Amino acid sequence: MEYQKIAELLFPDVKLTCEEIFAKYPKRNLKEGQVVSRFAPSPTGFIHIGNFFQMFISYNLTRVSDGVFFLRIEDTDSKREKEGAIDVVFEILNRFGIKIDEYQTLDGKDIGNYGPYVQSQRVEIYKAFAKKLVAEGKAFPCFCKKTEGKEDVLKLRENKFQNDDEKEYDPCRDLSFEEVKKHIDNGEKFAIRLKTKNTGKERVKFYDLIKGEIEAKANAKDFVLLKNDGIPPYAFAHAIDDTLMGTTIVVRGEDYIGSTPMHIELFEALGFKPTVYCHNPLICKLGDNGNKRKISKRYDPEADMRYYFEQGIPTTAVLEYLLGIINSGFEIWRMKNPDADFNEFKFGINDITAVAPIFDLVKLADISKNVISRLSAEELYDSWLNWAEEFDKSLAAWLKENKAYAISFLGIDRSGAKPRKDIANMSMIKEYFSYMFFRPTLDEVAEEDKDKFNEFMAAYQKAFTFPSSNEEWFALVKEVAGGLGYATDNKAYKANPEVFKGNVAKACEFVRVAITGRKNSPTLYEIIKSLGEKETRERLNVKK
Ligand code: GLU
C-alpha cells in the first residue's frame, strides 16, 4: 500500500497502465523460425563499422528467415545526440540497400504497428512501467543529486552506498512515504532505481546464441531505470521496447555481455519473458604491436561507415567482406558462385563466427577489385560519375563531357574471361588512368637508356601506322626493334645479350613509357586505341 502511494506521488500524471500498453502491442503472428530483430542506433551523427556489423548480422537473420527487421532510434541520451544524425542513419542504410520493414520516417510517420520507433517518443510508456515497479516495491525514487553522471555515482558509492564488497545499494532505497513526500514537497528531482533483490553473492545463468550458456555474477546494484529528467538509460528502455516490439533475437556486440546480468534481473522484475541474446565479437584491428584492438573512431578512418562512400568502395564489396567475416562459408560459396547476387547466400545462427574478426582493408580491397572487375565499362562509368558528383565535382563535369572517351578507357582489359583486377575504388581511378587525362612525363626512362630511347622512338614514330589489332601493333615494334639491332628472339638474346641493344620487351617498354609514363600498364594496344591516332602520334614524338 505504501509503495502504491509512493508510486502515485511520483507519477500523478501517468494514467496509462501496463495492461493498456500491452493491449496496443499484440503478439506478432510469426511462422516457425521467423526472426524479428532490429537495428537500434543512438543518433550520434555517424555509424561505426562495429554497429553496422551487428546490424548486418541482425538484418541477415531476419532476411533468411523471412522475418521482420525494424529500426529503432535510441535517442535517450540527449548529450550524445547530433543534429541531422537520424538522416545519417537512413542515408547509410539506403546506400547499402538495407531494407527496413518497420521504422519512423524522417517526418515522423510510423511505418509498422509497434511504434513509435523513436525512444524519445516512448517516455510515457517507460514511466508507466517504472510506476508499476515502484508500486510493487521493486524500484524506488532516489533523490541523491545528479545521479546520472558517472563521476557522481562513483562519489555516491564511496560515501553513501552500503558498499560491503559486492552490493551497491542506494541510500534512498528504503525511504518511507513521508520521507519521499518531503523531498517531493521540496520540489526535488528524483531518479528511479531498481531495488535489486540480490546481495552480491548470487550467480546467474543465461543462454547466448553465440557463446552458449554463460554463468556470471548476478547484478547487485540499484541501477538507474529513469534518470532524474524522466528518461531511461539503455537497459530499461531496451527491455521494454524489445518486449513490446516482439523482438525475438537481440543482436548486439559482446561488450554488452557484462551488463546482461542487469538486464536479466530487469526482465524478471518487469515480469517479462527473458529475451534471446546473440552477442557477437567486436571487429578488431591488428595494432602496431601485433595485438588485437577495437577499431576506433579516433584512429581508424574506416571506423566510420561514410569512409567507404568517400573512398568510392562499392557497397557490395563492403557487404560481401562483412559476410565473409560473419561466416567463413561465404568465401567458398562466392568461389563456387562468382556471378550470383550475394543475397542468395543463406546462413543461420549456428554459422556465425564466434571469434573476434580482424578487419583488413587489404582483403576488402581484393574483394572490391573483384566486384569492380565484374562491372561493364558503362556500369563502371556510372559508378565513377556518381561518386565524382559527390566527391570530385570537376571530375564529374569532365566525365559528363567526355562520356564516350571515358567508357572507352574504362573498358580496357575489362572484357574477356580474365578481366584485370586493379581498381579497388572510385577515388583511385583518376590516378590509375592519369595518362588518359594528361601527357605523361618520361621520368621512367633511365639515364643510361636515354640515347637508346631517343633512337628507338625516332625510328618507331616514323614507321608508325595506327594499328588495327594487338598483333599488328606488336609486329611493328618488333620490326623496328629488329632493324635497330634489338633481339627479336628471346633465346638468342639470352644466349648472347651483349651483341644486342636489348630485346623486344625493352622496345615495348620504351613505347609504354612514351604513351603512359609507366613501365606497367594495361594492354598498350587498347590504350592506343582509346587515345586515338592523333594523340598517340603526339606522344610517340618525344625525346628524353
Ligand atoms: N543503442 C545501442 C547501441 O547503439 C543499441 C544496442 C542494442 O542493439 O541493443 O549500442
Side-chain angles (χ1 to χ4, degrees), residues 42-59:
S42 304
T44 54
F46 98 118
I47 291 189
H48 190 283
I49 178 89
N51 290 357
F52 188 87
F53 178 64
Q54 303 299 338
M55 177 287 293
F56 196 47
I57 294 176
S58 170
Y59 173 66

Side-chain angles (χ1 to χ4, degrees), residues 28-41:
R28 289 178 186 267
N29 199 357
L30 299 173
K31 286 197 246 59
E32 173 84 25
Q34 267 182 316
V35 173
V36 179
S37 194
R38 80 296 191 278
F39 179 38

Side-chain angles (χ1 to χ4, degrees), residues 91-132:
E91 183 200 345
I92 288 173
L93 292 176
N94 286 339
R95 288 203 196 212
F96 278 98
I98 304 294
K99 293 183 201 74
I100 10 176
D101 302 307
E102 299 175 9
Y103 58 100
Q104 186 174 99
T105 60
L106 281 171
D107 53 11
K109 189 167 172 282
D110 281 310
I111 309 293
N113 298 324
Y114 294 80
Y117 294 92
V118 175
Q119 285 187 330
S120 56
Q121 296 166 23
R122 305 175 60 77
V123 174
E124 284 314 299
I125 298 175
Y126 307 132
K127 283 190 175 162
F129 281 97
K131 183 176 181 180
K132 176 172 182 276

Side-chain angles (χ1 to χ4, degrees), residues 8 11 26 56 75 88 113 158 170 178 181 190 210 213 232 241 256 262 281 362 375 410 473 503 524:
E8 274 314 321
F11 298 104
F56 196 47
D75 58 346
V88 173
N113 298 324
E158 269 167 34
D170 188 272
E178 272 67 36
K181 189 163 182 315
F190 58 88
I210 301 292
E213 192 175 81
D241 291 347
Y256 279 100
M262 279 163 66
V362 176
L375 301 179
L410 290 173
W473 170 81
N503 59 2
L524 201 52

Side-chain angles (χ1 to χ4, degrees), residues 52 55-56 59-60 63-64 93 95-99 314-324 326-327 329-331 333-335 337-347 367 371 374:
F52 188 87
M55 177 287 293
F56 196 47
Y59 173 66
N60 276 292
R63 184 177 62 76
V64 297
L93 292 176
R95 288 203 196 212
F96 278 98
I98 304 294
K99 293 183 201 74
T315 51
T316 327
V318 179
L319 296 180
E320 291 208 4
Y321 176 58
L322 292 179
L323 267 181
I326 296 169
N327 179 352
F330 178 72
E331 279 183 48
W333 179 87
R334 176 45 90 208
M335 269 189 276
N337 305 279
D339 300 317
D341 181 337
F342 69 88
N343 281 310
E344 286 167 29
F345 178 69
K346 303 264 182 278
F347 71 91
I367 294 177
V371 167
R374 292 199 288 267

Side-chain angles (χ1 to χ4, degrees), residues 38 40-42 51 74 234 250-252 256:
R38 80 296 191 278
S42 304
N51 290 357
E74 303 210 325
Y234 168 76
V250 170
V251 176
R252 59 186 186 185
Y256 279 100

